[in-house]
Every structure is written in structure tokens, then in C-alpha cells.
């Protein structure tokens, strides 16, 4: 490797890392999801990240946070591989040592995941061995030995760069093939397709057409599943078939019970329209959606176990180990919290919790919306902490009264004449009584005026609003919105970040009358 440019050796390091990752992914296919080192490492990074950093990532990247994390992990691996390989010599195999260290960390991450055993590290060990072998082979000189002519070093460097590029491509192909085969092997798509939702005993009231204001392009009252926001910690969507699913109810109960899907047939099936909101939703944010959920009342399931009088929290756990702490009274009162199995008339999408999840009106998702739920433990807030509360979020997360402007968009040009603006407001489970807007002219402050409300559906859903305005004065204008809930409480103007219990403040948008 003497005489080779460091840049060429760096490319060899990146190629060797690609081989290590690709072989690991490919060999992991027959072992199952527990052996997926890529997901294990990414999940370990998520678990080790502090609460404020996680909140920053969600606020900054929204639903692209997992993609950004995956790319960041790959970038770090590439940089470490490149730098260490550039420093490698026959006496000091720095690059090989870094690959081995990465393999050790990968094995540790795999073993830290729920359900993993010692055999699940075999793919990581195989990938590590192949990565080291690839680096040693590329830097050994076997591919580049040439006659000692003028410019031989340059020719060797070029050939080695091409060889490294080929090895990099082979590693990438192996990784892509492994990922595709793993998804196909673990996929529950067939199971979901074969699932027919149970007959509904208590249908949701019909949604009146008047919930959607005329004359303005607002979000649909019911959010299509494909557009429904998704914020969770699952780097790889859990795949859990109905015949594998079990829901264990235990802890401070009279009797421990485990439900399978067939056991749910004795309970009443309910349709319920509910708006869900993420605690990380900033003022004016889009981490809020509404769907029609089909499922079973959680209180009916808990009643079978018998709740101890001093239990005040249900610690729910997902298939991938995430937890949420929900007040018992919220799961047992008349709001009808659901163990949902359907969304908008179809089985739950896998990314939204198939085969079963919790839907709790009036609470932010971090304390209620457990997807892929498999465990309900009756306990107390002074005895247990859930995933986000350990990181500094509040124990109880009631949804705050908030509103948003959807039209106009920030910076939009508005032509002179009559226009219609609009947006959404929410206050689950209190409902929205009124929405007011203020449009400030240049150099002044306008008065609050009432907006027209779309028909109210229920206290558990958002409410769409619109307002007509005559655009006259050219220049910049600002529209601000505030809502009043059915208790008479007016949305606060005090600005607060999402941590620890949800953002507050009035949403404002600046636009230009041309």
C-alpha cells in the first residue's frame, strides 16, 4: 500500500465498509428482523439520544426524521472508514481495527434488542469478517502490481480506485438485496390483506358535508391514511401478524388476562372519529390528523381483568419495546378510548400499528397512541415511567387548545379583491366553540373578527374554519388566529416550546397583497 494516495486508500475503506454492511444485511435474511444490525444500531442511537435532541430532530425534520437518521449513520460510517483506511499501514492496520470495532458495536446493538439471542449476531460477524477481508485485499497490492515504469504509482492508484468502486457497488447491491429480501420475508402485507374488519356494532355518526367550509382549499376533515402523520421511534416498521399478536393485561389487576385476536370477538365493535395530535407539533405545525377508527373499548378489556382501586396509570408497551403511560381514568371514562384494528374502513396500515394500537381522544400521542401494542400493565405514576417521561416530558399530556392557518401560506401573494382564508382548530376532548382572526394592516393592528366554523362533529375532532376578507391595501399583511374551546377557555398567546407538554401560542402568517 506504500505509495498509494491517501484519497485512494480512503475509497478502499468506504468500499470495505459497504461490503461489511451489505453482507450483514444479506446474511441476516434467514435469521429474521432481530438480526438486522442496521435497525439495531439506528435504534440504539435513537435510545441514546437525549430528549432535547430528539425534539429538535422531530421539529426540524418532521416525518423525515428516520430517513435523516439513517443517512447520518451511513455518513458517519463512511467518514470513519475513509479516515481509518487512509491511515492504515502494514504495521498499523487502523482501518481493519475500526471495522472490527464497528462489528463489536453492531453485535452489542443487536443483542440489546428485545427478542434477540446469541445466534442473531452471526450476520454481523460475517459482515465484519468480509469487510476486513475486502480492505486487506484492496490494499494488499494484488490488484495493482505493475511493471516499474514511469507513472506506475499513478496507474496503480487509478486501477485501485476503479477496483474500490466495483467493490463498493457490490456491497451496495448486497445490502439492497438483503434489505428487500428481509422486508419480503417479514412482511405482514398478506396477513393484512386477508383481514376483514369485524362488523361494527356502534357506528360513528355520519359526517355532515358542512364540516368542510366552501371556497377555500383546506385539509380534508378525514385524513387519508397515506397522508396521516407518523411520528414514532421505530426505525424499521414492526411486522406482527394477527396469529402472533397477544395483548397481555397484568399488574394491579384481580386477574391477569392475555387476549388473542379471536378473544376480541366477544366485545362490542365501535367506530369512532378521532383527531390525533403529536406533542412535538409546533405552533402552526402539521403533526395532526383525523381518521375513523374501528376497534374495541379499552375499558371493556380492562374490566375483564379487574382494576385495583389504587392503580392510576396504564403502562402500554409496543412490540418494539416503546412505552406510554396513560391515566386509568382516561382509558375507562365515556370518551371511549379504543384498541383500534381499523383506520378509515380498512385494517390498520403497518406503519400506523397493524394489527392493533391504542387511540385515546384528548391526549397527545406520547402518552397514549401506542402502536403495535402488546402489553397493558396497570400500575401507578409514582412507580413507573414511560419512554418520553424518562426524557423530561410531563407525565400527563392533555391536548391544548390550538389553531392553525392553512390559507394563505407564509409569503403568498394575494391579488386585490375578495379572498377567503381558512385553517383548522382543535381542543380534544373539549371541542372548539369559536375561532377569531386578526388581519393587521401595514403599520397598524387590526381587530379580532369571528371566523365561520365548519359544522362541529364532536369534541374529539378538529374543526375547520374560514373567513372572508377584502384585499385592498398593497403591501405586507399578517393574519393571526386564536380559538376558544367549549369550556370558554381562549387559546393563550404565550409562546411555549413543545417540551414538556405541548407548544402554545398564536399562529401568524405574513402575506403580500400585490
Amino acid at each position: 500500500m506504500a505509495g498509494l494516495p491517501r484519497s485512494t486508500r480512503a475509497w478502499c475503506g468506504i468500499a470495505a465498509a459497504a461490503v461489511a454492511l451489505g453482507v450483514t444485511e444479506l446474511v441476516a435474511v434467514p435469521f429474521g428482523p432481530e438480526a438486522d444490525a442496521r435497525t439495531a444500531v439506528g435504534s440504539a442511537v435513537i435510545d441514546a439520544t437525549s430528549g432535547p435532541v430528539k425534539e429538535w430532530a422531530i421539529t426540524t425534520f418532521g416525518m423525515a426524521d428516520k430517513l435523516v437518521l439513517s443517512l447520518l449513520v451511513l455518513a458517519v460510517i463512511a467518514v470513519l472508514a475513509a479516515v481509518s483506511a487512509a491511515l492504515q499501514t502494514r504495521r498499523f492496520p487502523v482501518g481493519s481495527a475500526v471495522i472490527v470495532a464497528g462489528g463489536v458495536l453492531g453485535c452489542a446493538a443487536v443483542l440489546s434488542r428485545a427478542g434477540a439471542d446469541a445466534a442473531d449476531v452471526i450476520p454481523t460477524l460475517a459482515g465484519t469478517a468480509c469487510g476486513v477481508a475486502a480492505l486487506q485485499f484492496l490494499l494488499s497490492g494484488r490488484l495493482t502490481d505493475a511493471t516499474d515504469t514511469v507513472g506506475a504509482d499513478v496507474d496503480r492508484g487509478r486501477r485501485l480506485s476503479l477496483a474500490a468502486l466495483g467493490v463498493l457497488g457490490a456491497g451496495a447491491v448486497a445490502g439492497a438485496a438483503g434489505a428487500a429480501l428481509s422486508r419480503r420475508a417479514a412482511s405482514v402485507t398478506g396477513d393484512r390483506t386477508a383481514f376483514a374488519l369485524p362488523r361494527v356494532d356502534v357506528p360513528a355518526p355520519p359526517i355532515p358535508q358542512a364540516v368542510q367550509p366552501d371556497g377555500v382549499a383546506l385539509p380534508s376533515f378525514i385524513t387519508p391514511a397515506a397522508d396521516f402523520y407518523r411520528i414514532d421511534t421505530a426505525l424499521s416498521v414492526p411486522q406482527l401478524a394477527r396469529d402472533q399478536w397477544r395483548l397481555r393485561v397484568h399488574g394491579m389487576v384481580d386477574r391477569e388476562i392475555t387476549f388473542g385476536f379471536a378473544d376480541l370477538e366477544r366485545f362490542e365493535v365501535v367506530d369512532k372519529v378521532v383527531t390525533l395530535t403529536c406533542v412535538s407539533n409546533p405552533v402552526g405545525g402539521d403533526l395532526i390528523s383525523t381518521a375513523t377508527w374501528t376497534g374495541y373499548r379499552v375499558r371493556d378489556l380492562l374490566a375483564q381483568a379487574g382494576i385495583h382501586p389504587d392503580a392510576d396509570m396504564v403502562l402500554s408497551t409496543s412490540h418494539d419495546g416503546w412505552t406510554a403511560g396513560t391515566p386509568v381514568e382516561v382509558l375507562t371514562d365515556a370518551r371511549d378510548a379504543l384498541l383500534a384494528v381499523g383506520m378509515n374502513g380498512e385494517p390498520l396500515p403497518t406503519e400506523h400499528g397493524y394489527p392493533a394500537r391504542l387511540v385515546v381522544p384528548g391526549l397527545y400521542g406520547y402518552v397514549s397512541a401506542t402502536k403495535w401494542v402488546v402489553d397493558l400493565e396497570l400500575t401507578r405514576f409514582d412507580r413507573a415511567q414511560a419512554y418520553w417521561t424518562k426524557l423530561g416530558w410531563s407525565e400527563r399530556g392533555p391536548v391544548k387548545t390550538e389553531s392553525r392557518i392553512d390559507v394563505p401560506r407564509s409569503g403568498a401573494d394575494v391579488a386585490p379583491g375578495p379572498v377567503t382564508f381558512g385553517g383548522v382548530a382543535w381542543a380534544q376532548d373539549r371541542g372548539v366553540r369559536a375561532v377569531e382572526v386578526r388581519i393587521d394592516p401595514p403599520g397598524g393592528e387590526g381587530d379580532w373578527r369571528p371566523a365561520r366554523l365548519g359544522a362541529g362533529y364532536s369534541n374529539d375532532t378538529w374543526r375547520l374554519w374560514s373567513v372572508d376578507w377584502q384585499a385592498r391595501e398593497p403591501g405586507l399583511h399578517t393574519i393571526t388566529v386564536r380559538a376558544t374551546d367549549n369550556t370558554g377557555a381562549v387559546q393563550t398567546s404565550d409562546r411555549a416550546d413543545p417540551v414538556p407538554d405541548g407548544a402554545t401560542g398564536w399562529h401568524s402568517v405574513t402575506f403580500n397583497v400585490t
Side-chain angles (χ1 to χ4, degrees):
M1 65 185 71
L4 291 175
R6 285 194 173 184
S7 59
T8 302
R9 283 182 279 165
W11 272 112
C12 292
I14 294 173
V19 167
L21 294 174
V23 171
T24 298
E25 198 80 35
L26 196 58
V27 176
V29 173
F31 287 83
E34 292 78 10
D36 185 352
R38 176 186 59 85
T39 298
V41 170
S43 299
V45 171
I46 291 174
D47 292 343
T49 302
S50 66
V53 173
K54 288 179 181 176
E55 179 58 36
W56 172 83
I58 293 172
T59 301
T60 304
F61 303 112
M63 290 181 282
D65 59 339
K66 298 172 185 62
L67 173 61
V68 172
L69 173 63
S70 298
L71 294 176
L72 181 61
V73 169
L74 289 176
V76 170
I77 290 173
V79 170
L80 290 175
V83 172
S84 60
L87 297 175
Q88 174 150 321
T89 63
R90 287 187 174 87
R91 186 174 180 182
F92 299 106
V94 181
S96 299
V98 167
I99 293 175
V100 170
V104 171
L105 292 175
C107 290
V110 167
L111 293 175
S112 70
R113 310 312 294 172
D117 57 36
D120 290 322
V121 303
I122 292 176
T124 305
L125 294 175
T128 302
C130 289
V132 170
L135 183 62
Q136 295 287 352
F137 178 70
L138 287 170
L139 297 182
S140 66
R142 299 175 190 173
L143 290 172
T144 57
D145 285 341
T147 57
D148 292 331
T149 59
V150 176
D153 283 344
V154 175
D155 187 54
R156 291 173 62 206
R158 288 173 179 168
R159 281 186 284 153
L160 184 55
S161 294
L162 290 174
L165 188 61
V167 172
L168 175 63
V173 169
L181 291 172
S182 293
R183 282 194 298 270
R184 183 174 180 179
S187 174
V188 294
T189 299
D191 186 76
R192 179 179 177 272
T193 302
F195 177 42
L197 288 180
R199 181 182 61 84
V200 175
D201 301 300
V202 183
I207 299 172
Q209 185 176 352
V211 298
Q212 202 81 31
D214 295 328
V216 60
L218 297 180
S220 173
F221 181 77
I222 296 295
T223 310
D227 298 330
F228 205 96
Y229 82 89
R230 179 196 166 200
I231 297 293
D232 53 52
T233 62
L235 195 60
S236 180
V237 176
Q239 305 289 314
L240 183 61
R242 279 172 293 134
D243 61 357
Q244 299 172 323
W245 179 84
R246 297 291 183 273
L247 179 64
R248 181 188 178 207
V249 182
H250 63 108
M252 299 172 69
V253 295
D254 298 333
R255 67 199 69 83
E256 180 176 320
I257 296 180
T258 300
F259 296 102
F261 245 79
D263 300 315
L264 300 177
E265 295 177 0
R266 65 178 184 267
F267 298 104
E268 207 168 41
V269 180
V270 177
D271 258 358
K272 191 170 180 65
V273 181
V274 178
T275 298
L276 298 185
T277 312
C278 181
V279 72
S280 296
N281 197 37
V283 172
D286 60 358
L287 300 181
I288 175 171
S289 304
T290 302
T292 301
W293 307 95
T294 302
Y296 310 88
R297 297 185 189 93
V298 175
R299 69 169 184 262
D300 294 344
L301 276 64
L302 296 181
Q304 297 287 302
I307 304 171
H308 288 187
D310 53 342
D312 65 1
M313 189 250 270
V314 173
L315 185 70
S316 56
T317 304
S318 74
H319 181 59
D320 65 346
W322 186 85
T323 56
T326 311
V328 168
E329 66 268 20
V330 172
L331 294 175
T332 55
D333 64 15
R335 75 186 66 199
D336 286 348
L338 295 182
L339 176 73
V341 298
M343 179 182 185
N344 293 343
E346 297 184 355
L348 289 170
T350 51
E351 62 269 23
H352 289 294
Y354 181 85
R357 63 166 293 164
L358 295 182
V359 172
V360 184
L363 296 186
Y364 288 118
Y366 81 103
V367 293
S368 65
T370 305
K371 304 172 186 174
W372 317 288
V373 63
V374 294
D375 191 279
L376 300 178
E377 179 187 0
L378 276 296
T379 181
R380 293 186 54 81
F381 281 103
D382 57 9
R383 297 181 187 175
Q385 282 189 307
Y387 183 92
W388 285 105
T389 52
K390 291 178 182 177
L391 297 174
W393 272 255
S394 63
E395 288 182 338
R396 303 166 189 258
V399 174
K400 298 178 178 179
T401 302
E402 284 293 312
S403 54
R404 184 183 76 199
I405 301 162
D406 288 87
V407 180
R409 294 294 184 183
S410 180
D413 288 334
V414 174
V419 294
T420 302
F421 298 146
V424 295
W426 59 92
Q428 310 94 293
D429 63 328
R430 303 172 304 282
V432 173
R433 173 191 298 179
V435 171
E436 299 170 288
V437 298
R438 185 179 67 198
I439 301 178
D440 299 339
E445 187 172 284
D447 297 324
W448 289 105
R449 65 182 73 186
R452 287 191 308 275
L453 295 178
Y457 180 78
S458 80
N459 287 350
D460 298 327
T461 60
W462 59 8
R463 200 159 183 184
L464 281 59
W465 60 267
S466 64
V467 64
D468 295 331
W469 185 62
Q470 192 73 26
R472 293 190 180 93
E473 292 187 57
L476 294 177
H477 296 256
T478 299
I479 178 172
T480 304
V481 64
R482 68 182 183 189
T484 301
D485 66 32
N486 281 325
T487 70
V490 180
Q491 175 183 344
T492 179
S493 61
D494 296 339
R495 203 79 176 189
D497 291 331
V499 182
D501 57 1
T504 61
W506 294 340
H507 185 215
S508 296
V509 166
T510 299
F511 62 96
N512 182 48
V513 175
T514 52

